[in-house]
Amino acid sequence: MLVLVPGCYIYTQGEAIEGTLSSKPDMDSRTAFCGALLLLVTLLPLSATASSKLYIVYMGEKKHDDPSVVIASHHDMLTSVFGSKDEAMRSIVYSYKHGFSGFAAMLTKSQAVAIAKIPEVVTVKPNIFHKMHTTRSWDFLGLEYNQPPQQPGLLERAKYGEDVIVGVIDSGIWPESRSFDDNGYGPVPARWKGKCQTGEEFNATSCNRKIIGARWYGRGISAESLKSDYKSPRDLSSHGTHVASTIAGREVQGVSYGGLGMGVAHGGAPRARLGIYKVCWVDEGCPDAAVLAAIDDAIHDRVDVLSLSVGGVGQEYSGTLHAVQRGISVVFAGGNDGPVPQTVTNAVPWVTTVAASMIDRSFPTLISLGNNEKLVGQSLNYNAAMNNSGFQDLVCPGSCEAESLALGNVTGKTVLCYAPAEASWWPPQISLPYAINHTIEAGAKGLIFAQYTANNLDSLTACEGFMPCALVDFEIAHRIFSYWDMADHPVVKVSPAVSVVGNGVLSPRVASFSSRGPSLLFPGILKPDITAPGVNILAAVRGSYVFYSGTSMACPHVSAVTAMLKSVHPQWSPAMIKSAIVTTASVTDRFGMPIQAEVVSRKLADPFDFGGGHIDPDRAVDPGLVYDVDAREYNKFFNCTLGYLGGCESYYLNLNLPSIAVPDLKDHVMLRRTVTNVGPAESTYHLVVEAPAGIDVSVEPSVINFTQSSSKSATFTVTFTTRQRVQGGYTFGSLTWSDGSTHSVRIPIAVRTVIQDFVADTS
C-alpha cells in the first residue's frame, strides 16, 4: 500500500522513498480534512503504461460552486504533471466536484509523488477494493407496522419515513422486487437532484417513486468484472437489494424462505425514498475511487441519510465528513471479522458504526438417530421431499476437508463434520462454506456441522436443492459421534426446520462474526457505536426473499431508524441523531438480564462488542438529552491524525461524543462533555456512575437543572483516577443522566491503564 503524508515515507511492495507535502497555511479553513483521506490504488487494465495505477487525489473543500470549474482545475493540475492535456484527460477516472474537490487518475509512482507536492493537494493515496460487509427484525425492535393509534411509536410519529431520502451505496438494486413497488406514493420530493442512469437491463422505467434515482460506477473496473456483472444499477449479487429493502421496502404480505420466517416483510422506514449508487462489483468488490464518487454525487443529489454496508479503508472514507458537514447522517457497517478484538472498521467519529446481533427467532430442526435418540440442531432445511427416504447412513470422517471425505466413503450418506480442535484457527464462518462445498462434491446426501456458534445459518442456503444440512454445538455433536462410534450400522434423519419466535430464544446477542473494538486507527474513539439485528435477516433478493447475515444487514436497520429520526426531528444535526441512538440503547434483554456476546464461549457484552448497546428506536425519538458536535470540530480530528496540530490527546478526550475512551490512563485525567436538553424545558437530571474496575470516577456537577430561562446546554467534567499502577487491559463502565421517570441517558466508558506508552498488556 502506498501512503503519502508529510515527513513520512512512501511504502509500496517493499520499497521506500521519502516524500513530503507542501505546507498548507490555510488548513484550518478547509472544511474537511485537512489532511487526509485519499488516494487509492490498484492495478487496472486501462493504464496508459504498465507502471500506472489508480490513485485518489484529495484536495479538501472545493474552491468553486460551479462543478465545471472544479473539473477544469483537476485537468489543469494533471496537465502540469503530464505535460499534455490529452494525456491528462485520458488519465482521469473520476472527478469529485460536488461535496469536495479531488480526482481519481491513472498515475505512475513518480507522477503521484509530483502531485503530492502541489500546495493544493491534501493527500494522495492508492485505490483499494473492499468487500461488502426482514419479516421479524422490525417487530423485534418494537416497530410493528400496524400499531394501535392510541399507542403511537416512532414509526407512526415519523409517518413511516415519508419522503426522507436514503442513499444506499452498495451493489445496486433489483427494481422488480415487490418491496420497491411505488403504488400509493406521491411525487418525487422536489429537492431531489439525482438522476436515473440507464444501462444493461435497466432503463428509465426501472426508477419510480420509490427508487427515485440510480447511478452506477464502472470506470476503473476491469473488463472481465464488467462482463460478469450488469453494466447498470441492476444488482447481480443481491447484496444491495437486500440492504435497500431492509431500510425502506414497502409492506409485502406472506413472505418467507420456503415457509420459514413467514410474515409481513417491510423496511424500517417503508415510506422513505431510495437513491441507489452501485459501486460494488461481483468479482472485484467496492473500490475506494467509486465509493468517493458516489458520496460526492449523493451530496449533490440531496440525500438525507447515507447507508454504506461496505468495509473500511486504512484511513476511512474522506468524503463522508463533507456529507456530515452538509447535514447528511452517515451509517456504516462495522465489519465481519469478529470475535477478534481490534477488527472494527469505519471508526471515524462523525459516522455511526454498527455491530450485528441476533433477534428472537430460531429455526430448530429435529435430528433422529437410529437408537431412537432425538436431538435438536438449527437449520434452514425446509424441503421435506429431501427427507422422503427417511433414515440415511451416518459417517463421521472428523474434518470435512476434501481429503478426509475421500477417505471416509461419504457418497449417499449424511456426514457429521466434528473437528473441535480446528475451531481455534478455522472459525465457522470460514469453514462452514468449505464444508458444504466439499460434502456436495463428495456426493454426500446430508450434512451435520459442529461449531461453537449458530450465527451463520444463512450459509446453509448453499445446501438448497442438494441435501438437508444442520448446525449443532459440540455437545450435541459429541452425542452423535458417540452413537456413530458404538453402533454397528449408524443411521440418522435430519427433519425439516420449524420457525420459533419469542421469549424462548435468548436475544439479543451480539453475533460472533461482528467486528470488535477498540479501533486500531483511533483507540480514543469508542467503536462500534451501536448494535442492531444482523443475523438471519429475511429481505428481498431478486424476486424472492432470502436470509442474509452480517453487519451489512445490521447497518440498514440503523439507517432506517436514522431516517425516521430525521423525519421527526428535521432540525437535529447528525451528531444529535447518533447521540439519541447511542444513549437510549438497551444493555439488558426483555428479562432484565445483561445482553450477551457470542465469542468462542459466550460472555457478557461490553462496549467493544456493542457500543452503547442494542438499538431501541422508540426510546431514541425522545432521548431527553443529546451530545451535539459542531461538524467543523471534526476538521481538527484530521489535522491531529496527520500531525498538523499539537495537543491532540486533549482534543480526542474532549470531543463531545456519546461515549468515552481513555486508552492510556497513567494516573489521572480530566475531560469535559456537554449535554443539550431536547426534552421538557423544566427538568432535573441526576447522575448514576458505573465506574470501570480499578478506576475512581468523579463527575462535577452530579446534578443538572434546566429551566425555562436557563441555557439548554450544560457542561460537566469527568475525572478518572487509577487505583492500580499496572500495564493493564480495558475495563468498562458508564455514565447515566436520569430524570427519574422518562429519560435515562447513558454513555459507555472504556479505560485502559498503562505504565509505559506503546506497550501491550503484559499479562
Side-chain angles (χ1 to χ4, degrees), residues 437-457:
N437 289 338
H438 290 156
T439 51
I440 290 174
E441 290 171 359
K445 293 301 181 183
L447 170 66
I448 302 172
F449 185 85
Q451 58 178 30
Y452 55 78
T453 174
N455 287 173
N456 49 346
L457 269 180

Side-chain angles (χ1 to χ4, degrees), residues 138 242-244 246-247 268 307 309 331 551-561:
W138 290 113
H242 198 280
V243 166
T246 302
I247 296 171
S307 184
S309 289
V331 185
T551 55
S552 285
M553 284 59 255
C555 173
H557 284 84
V558 177
S559 300
V561 172

Side-chain angles (χ1 to χ4, degrees), residues 649-717:
E649 183 177 353
S650 175
Y651 169 73
Y652 292 152
L653 288 172
N654 290 289
L655 188 59
N656 200 45
L657 301 175
S659 60
I660 297 173
V662 183
D664 54 358
L665 180 63
K666 292 181 179 177
D667 184 17
H668 67 274
V669 68
M670 185 177 75
L671 54 89
R672 291 180 302 278
R673 288 291 187 273
T674 298
V675 290
T676 300
N677 184 18
V678 293
E682 300 277 346
S683 54
T684 299
Y685 285 85
H686 294 265
L687 181 69
V688 178
V689 177
E690 179 192 355
I695 307 295
D696 289 327
V697 181
S698 174
V699 181
E700 291 293 336
S702 60
V703 179
I704 297 176
N705 291 294
F706 294 101
T707 65
Q708 289 280 3
S709 59
S710 70
S711 170
K712 289 186 176 181
S713 297
T715 298
F716 60 93
T717 62

Side-chain angles (χ1 to χ4, degrees), residues 665-669 693-696 720-726 751 753-754:
L665 180 63
K666 292 181 179 177
D667 184 17
H668 67 274
V669 68
I695 307 295
D696 289 327
F720 296 100
T721 305
T722 181
R723 298 200 303 267
Q724 50 183 5
R725 294 283 296 163
V726 296
V751 179
T753 59
V754 298

Side-chain angles (χ1 to χ4, degrees), residues 399 401 419-431 452 600:
S399 166
E401 290 295 313
E422 295 182 1
S424 60
W425 72 83
W426 197 232
Q429 60 262 41
I430 297 175
S431 58
Y452 55 78
V600 176

